[in-house]
């Protein structure tokens, strides 16, 4: 787990990604962002659930404002994680963005059927990737009005 | 084949007949085959049996007489009279059946006049016969006049003829029976042969059936193996290309990130090198993507539905709208029919062919026309352009994956578009081919099922 602390009003983002290179890229992209954000990275599905339910070593972590979820994960698959989040009364309101290299129609369909908030295929080009991460941030964290869950 | 008298006539009945003749006339008879073997004998005189045929000297005379009589009949005489060397008279009649002289009927051992007793006494002395007994035997020998002999010979000759007729009839019957038997034998053999042939044929059919069964089984096995290895290969291509993407993304992304963050600290050489690294990684990504798409044609294809090809073409054109406008391309089409297919894939075929036509445009603005024909249960679609054209020797090569005719600098691309078209059309049980003239234009033609 790594985090970027940019102050008290920071936005909390949970990135579930097993590829450390990809995770770091997202972190780097957000570094270039104007928004204050805390990026938390976990590397498999079980850790993601522990983080969300604040279990074990995650007892003191904040509830994230946005989840970036890869589909192909070790231990617990991204689809299972998505399903658990969206069927949990506590977690279901957190927007989940599927960020994966898959372009397959069945993956897209399945993700939306499990109530993913959006599905994004990672672009091959770095500039594109940077733009996508910034777009996610802009849209979900500045444009969209979300319920306040910090009191939950 | 010449028959023996015993085969044609009933020798036993002939024997009885001749004995009765002897009893009635007192005349001895004999029937000998042509080789001189005695078949029938009746009433032979003691003078012959007890004297002349016992003594070797006189027996020679007897045999000479038999031979002489027989030989003289060969020329077709009705009968032959012979005075035997032992002083008696014999007559022979030939038995001729089917123009074959098969036997002789002898009568004889009679005298034609009163015997010269002196002659016989001399004979008795000469050959050591008991004179009294010899003369007693002589006295039993009948004396027949020429007239009597003649009348008996007429009877005998007719009897011989009758025997001959009966013999002929019997011969004919034998022949008929033998022919019949032969026929039966022949037909039985034919029947058996036919039975054997039928059995052999059934065996052949059975063997052929077994062979076909065995080769079918082998074929089935080979098909299953082929199907499995095809599936494995497709799976491999999919997994390999999918899993290769991740590390490549890392190479290209972090090289780009380096460039982005440390641009100011790098000299021009370092920037060039990084540019080549990024370019190579991006190109490889494209190849892998294309390979993935190529393998998805069969692994991720959708079931076929009835498609309105005009609508499908419309999707393809709208996907290419930017490119079409940029290049001032004019696309026209006939009313296209319906065909069976996977909508996404057929749209992809149109899109690839139109994109190709635009990419390989000639000096003028591209003009593309899509037309169709119906041939039986097939729909034939043509995509015709006014581009640079393709040399005939490359007609096959252009459909092979990653085969390109031009450098990347001239025309960008990986060389996957037509390979994907071919794979899609083949998945649709169709064919795709090209007709082209260098500098005039190219027409791609493909078929789909109605």
């Amino acid at each position: 787990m790594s985090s970027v602390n940019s102050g008290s009003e920071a936005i909390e983002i949970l990135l579930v990604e097993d590829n450390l290179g990809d995770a770091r890229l997202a972190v780097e992209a957000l570094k270039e962002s104007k928004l204050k954000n805390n990026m938390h990275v976990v590397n498999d599905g079980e850790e993601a659930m522990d983080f969300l339910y604040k279990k074990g070593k995650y007892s003191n972590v904040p509830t994230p404002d946005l989840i970036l979820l890869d589909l192909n994960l070790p231990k617990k698959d991204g689809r299972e994680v998505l399903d658990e989040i969206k069927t949990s009364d506590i977690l279901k309101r957190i927007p989940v963005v599927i960020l994966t290299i898959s372009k397959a129609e069945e993956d897209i369909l399945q993700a939306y059927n499990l109530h993913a908030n959006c599905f994004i295929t990672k672009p091959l080009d770095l500039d594109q990737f940077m733009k996508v991460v910034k777009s996610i941030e802009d849209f979900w964290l500045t444009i969209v009005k979300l319920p306040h869950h910090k009191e939950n | 084949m010449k028959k023996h008298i015993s085969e044609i006539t009933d020798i036993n009945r002939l024997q009885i007949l001749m004995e009765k003749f002897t009893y009635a006339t007192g005349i001895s008879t004999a029937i000998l085959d042509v080789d001189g073997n005695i078949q029938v004998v009746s009433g032979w005189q003691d003078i012959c049996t007890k004297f002349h045929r016992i003594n070797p000297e006189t027996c020679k005379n007897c045999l000479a007489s038999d031979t002489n009589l027989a030989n003289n009949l060969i020329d077709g005489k009705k009968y032959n009279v012979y005075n035997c060397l032992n002083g008696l008279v014999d007559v022979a009649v030939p038995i001729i059946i089917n123009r074959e002289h098969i036997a002789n009927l002898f009568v004889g051992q009679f005298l034609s006049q009163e015997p010269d007793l002196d002659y016989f006494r001399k004979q008795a002395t000469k050959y050591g016969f008991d004179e009294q007994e010899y003369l007693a035997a002589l006295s039993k020998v009948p004396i027949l006049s020429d007239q009597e002999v003649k009348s008996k010979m007429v009877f005998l000759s007719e009897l011989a003829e009758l025997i001959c007729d009966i013999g002929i009839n019997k011969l004919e019957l034998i022949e008929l029976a033998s022919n019949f038997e032969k026929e039966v034998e022949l037909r039985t053999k034919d029947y058996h042969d036919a039975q054997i042939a039928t059995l052999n044929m059934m065996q052949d059919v059975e063997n052929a059936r077994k062979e076909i069964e065995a080769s079918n089984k082998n074929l089935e096995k080979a098909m299953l193996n082929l199907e499995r290895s095809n599936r494995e290969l497709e799976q491999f291509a999919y997994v390999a290309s999918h899993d290769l993407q991740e590390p490549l993304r890392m190479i290209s992304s972090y090289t780009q990130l380096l460039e982005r963050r440390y641009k100011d600290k790098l000299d021009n050489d370092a920037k060039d090198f990084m540019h080549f690294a990024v370019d190579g990684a991006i190109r490889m990504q494209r190849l892998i993507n294309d390979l993935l798409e190529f393998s998805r044609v069969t692994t991720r294809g959708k079931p076929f539905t009835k498609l309105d090809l005009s609508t499908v073409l419309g999707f393809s054109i709208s996907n290419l709208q930017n490119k079409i406008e940029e290049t001032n391309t004019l696309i026209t089409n006939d009313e296209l029919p319906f065909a069976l297919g996977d909508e996404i894939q057929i749209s992809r075929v149109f899109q690839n062919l139109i994109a190709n036509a635009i990419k390989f445009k000639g000096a003028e603005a591209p003009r593309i026309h899509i037309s169709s024909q119906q041939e039986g249960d097939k729909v034939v679609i043509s995509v015709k352009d006014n581009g640079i054209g393709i040399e005939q020797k490359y007609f096959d090569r252009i459909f092979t994956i990653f085969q390109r005719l031009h450098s990347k600098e001239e025309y960008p691309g990986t060389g996957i578009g037509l390979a994907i078209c071919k794979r899609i059309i083949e998945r649709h049980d169709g064919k795709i081919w090209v007709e082209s003239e260098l500098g005039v234009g190219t027409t791609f033609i493909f078929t789909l099922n109605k």
Side-chain angles (χ1 to χ4, degrees):
Chain A
M1 189 188 113
S2 71
S3 67
V4 178
N5 197 340
S6 310
S8 56
E9 292 301 310
I11 299 291
E12 306 293 337
I13 300 172
L14 174 64
L15 174 65
V16 190
E17 168 66 81
D18 64 319
N19 183 336
L20 296 179
D22 259 336
R24 180 65 185 270
L25 268 189
V27 170
E28 294 299 326
L30 284 174
K31 260 191 201 169
E32 296 181 11
S33 148
K34 284 161 260 152
L35 270 180
K36 285 179 191 167
N37 60 65
N38 280 333
M39 174 77 101
H40 309 273
V41 181
V42 293
N43 303 122
D44 64 55
E46 282 179 5
E47 257 191 272
M49 292 322 294
D50 287 351
F51 186 99
L52 290 170
Y53 285 122
K54 304 184 205 299
K55 279 187 193 160
K57 61 175 173 172
Y58 297 112
S59 54
N60 290 321
V61 298
T63 302
D65 299 296
L66 178 70
I67 300 168
L68 302 179
L69 179 64
D70 192 11
L71 282 182
N72 299 312
L73 294 171
K75 295 185 186 170
K76 188 171 273 182
D77 191 63
R79 297 161 189 84
E80 291 173 71
V81 173
L82 176 62
D83 191 37
E84 277 189 45
I85 293 170
K86 291 302 178 185
T87 51
S88 154
D89 283 341
I90 306 165
L91 304 172
K92 68 183 176 191
R93 283 184 295 275
I94 306 171
V96 178
V97 174
I98 303 297
L99 191 61
T100 176
I101 57 163
S102 172
K103 281 193 242 177
E105 195 73 33
E106 60 263 39
D107 284 344
I108 298 172
L109 200 66
Q110 196 187 9
Y112 283 115
N113 281 340
L114 293 172
H115 308 291
N117 295 79
C118 75
F119 188 105
I120 294 171
T121 300
K122 287 178 197 165
L124 298 178
D125 185 75
L126 180 75
D127 282 342
Q128 290 294 323
F129 183 77
M130 295 289 200
K131 270 186 205 157
V132 163
V133 174
K134 271 181 204 156
S135 303
I136 293 168
E137 196 187 31
D138 279 350
F139 183 72
W140 288 106
L141 304 177
T142 65
I143 298 172
V144 172
K145 192 75 187 156
L146 293 166
H148 218 263
H149 55 73
K150 295 241 158 118
E151 291 114 37
N152 287 349
Chain B
M1 209 182 84
K2 192 170 178 174
K3 298 271 181 197
H4 192 261
I5 183 166
S6 60
E7 293 178 276
I8 317 166
T9 54
D10 186 339
I11 294 289
N12 289 335
R13 286 186 64 189
L14 212 51
Q15 175 71 40
I16 293 164
L17 182 71
M18 296 324 282
E19 274 167 13
K20 285 186 176 160
F21 173 78
T22 302
Y23 179 74
T25 60
I27 295 172
S28 334
T29 70
I31 294 172
L32 275 67
D33 66 19
V34 283
D35 299 323
N37 301 311
I38 294 166
Q39 304 295 316
V40 173
V41 174
S42 68
W44 275 24
Q45 294 297 325
D46 287 349
I47 196 164
C48 292
T49 56
K50 290 184 178 162
F51 298 96
H52 294 159
R53 285 193 188 251
I54 299 294
N55 184 292
E57 290 294 313
T58 49
C59 187
K60 263 186 206 162
N61 291 338
C62 294
L63 293 177
S65 301
D66 294 345
T67 311
N68 181 290
L69 278 163
N71 285 347
N72 281 328
L73 288 172
I74 291 166
D75 301 333
K77 276 186 190 170
K78 277 228 160 180
Y79 68 91
N80 188 27
V81 181
Y82 180 72
N83 294 314
C84 94
L85 296 171
N86 294 327
L88 300 180
V89 180
D90 290 321
V91 179
V93 180
I95 297 172
I96 295 166
I97 292 174
N98 265 1
R99 271 167 288 170
E100 292 281 0
H101 180 189
I102 63 160
N104 294 310
L105 171 61
F106 292 81
V107 291
Q109 302 172 352
F110 58 84
L111 296 164
S112 55
Q113 55 196 21
E114 280 299 323
D116 175 357
L117 291 174
D118 280 347
Y119 172 80
F120 284 101
R121 272 191 204 104
K122 272 183 208 158
Q123 288 236 116
T125 314
K126 189 176 177 186
Y127 299 116
F129 301 144
D130 181 295
E131 192 183 291
Q132 211 177 334
E133 283 178 22
Y134 188 54
L135 289 181
L138 179 65
S139 69
K140 283 190 214 160
V141 174
I143 299 162
L144 301 169
S145 69
D146 274 3
Q147 189 54 46
E148 276 175 303
V149 169
K150 218 173 239 170
S151 69
K152 285 176 177 71
M153 285 327 295
V154 168
F155 169 76
L156 282 173
S157 162
E158 280 184 10
L159 180 67
E161 259 174 42
L162 188 66
I163 292 168
C164 291
D165 276 349
I166 293 166
I168 287 166
N169 286 340
K170 193 175 173 189
L171 199 64
E172 279 171 0
L173 277 176
I174 287 171
E175 197 167 325
L176 267 178
S178 135
N179 282 347
F180 181 72
E181 259 169 39
K182 267 188 211 150
E183 189 66 27
V184 168
E185 219 169 80
L186 216 66
R187 291 200 183 185
T188 307
K189 192 176 174 296
D190 281 353
Y191 173 71
H192 283 309
D193 286 353
Q195 258 185 333
I196 288 166
T198 307
L199 283 176
N200 285 342
M201 210 164 71
M202 277 163 69
Q203 191 59 50
D204 286 351
V205 168
E206 178 62 15
N207 288 344
R209 197 183 61 78
K210 272 185 193 153
E211 264 172 46
I212 289 169
E213 219 168 67
S215 70
N216 266 354
K217 244 178 219 163
N218 283 340
L219 210 61
E220 226 167 75
K221 219 189 259 173
M223 282 264 293
L224 282 178
N225 278 341
L226 205 63
E227 263 170 35
R228 202 195 51 223
S229 89
N230 252 355
R231 260 202 315 276
E232 282 171 359
L233 209 62
E234 273 162 5
Q235 196 60 28
F236 171 77
Y238 180 75
V239 169
S241 45
H242 194 267
D243 290 355
L244 283 172
Q245 296 229 44
E246 203 63 52
L248 263 177
R249 263 172 49 75
M250 293 299 100
I251 296 168
S252 66
S253 297
Y254 280 95
T255 318
Q256 281 174 298
L257 194 59
L258 265 178
E259 198 184 12
R260 195 185 172 99
R261 292 272 171 88
Y262 302 95
K263 221 179 0 231
D264 301 339
K265 292 173 189 153
L266 295 172
D267 64 7
N268 284 339
D269 273 353
K271 281 179 194 163
D272 271 354
F273 299 162
M274 279 199 321
H275 172 75
F276 284 127
V278 171
D279 185 55
I282 288 174
R283 266 192 290 126
M284 189 153 171
Q285 268 174 347
R286 253 183 230 135
L287 285 171
I288 289 170
N289 259 337
D290 287 347
L291 200 60
L292 194 58
E293 196 181 336
F294 187 74
S295 76
R296 273 181 176 159
V297 169
T298 47
T299 54
R300 299 290 194 274
K302 299 273 181 300
F304 299 161
T305 53
K306 199 115 199 159
L307 305 174
D308 177 356
L309 292 180
S310 294
T311 310
V312 178
L313 175 64
F315 296 149
S316 311
I317 292 172
S318 68
N319 280 343
L320 294 165
Q321 207 51 52
N322 286 342
K323 217 178 260 182
I324 292 167
E325 279 166 16
E326 275 166 27
T327 50
N328 270 330
T329 301
L330 177 65
I331 300 179
T332 53
N333 67 280
D334 296 348
E335 180 94 13
L336 299 182
F338 282 75
L340 275 180
D342 174 337
E343 185 170 336
I344 294 169
Q345 291 191 342
I346 299 304
S347 167
R348 185 64 203 250
V349 171
F350 277 126
Q351 199 173 318
N352 285 3
L353 293 180
I354 293 167
N356 260 10
I358 296 172
K359 180 153 88 176
F360 298 101
K361 69 191 177 77
E364 293 170 35
R367 274 181 288 114
I368 302 165
H369 183 71
I370 297 102
S371 59
S372 77
Q373 258 178 292
Q374 312 235 10
E375 276 177 22
D377 56 351
K378 297 273 178 190
V379 175
V380 184
I381 306 290
S382 304
V383 179
K384 183 180 164 70
D385 67 41
N386 62 337
I388 57 172
I390 305 159
E391 276 183 77
Q392 192 171 353
K393 61 178 171 181
Y394 299 126
F395 280 5
D396 284 336
R397 193 171 153 183
I398 55 170
F399 290 105
T400 310
I401 188 165
F402 299 145
Q403 286 290 338
R404 303 162 41 86
L405 301 182
H406 306 276
S407 74
K408 291 181 188 69
E409 285 67 36
E410 278 179 292
Y411 296 98
T414 53
I416 189 83
L418 289 174
I420 285 178
C421 288
K422 183 166 190 265
R423 203 163 159 91
I424 289 173
I425 294 303
E426 281 173 358
R427 184 185 163 231
H428 284 72
D429 188 30
K431 279 187 187 141
I432 183 166
W433 67 96
V434 66
E435 289 168 3
S436 183
E437 201 179 323
L438 217 51
V440 177
T442 303
T443 307
F444 281 96
I445 302 139
F446 62 90
T447 64
L448 291 171
N449 290 329
K450 268 187 202 168

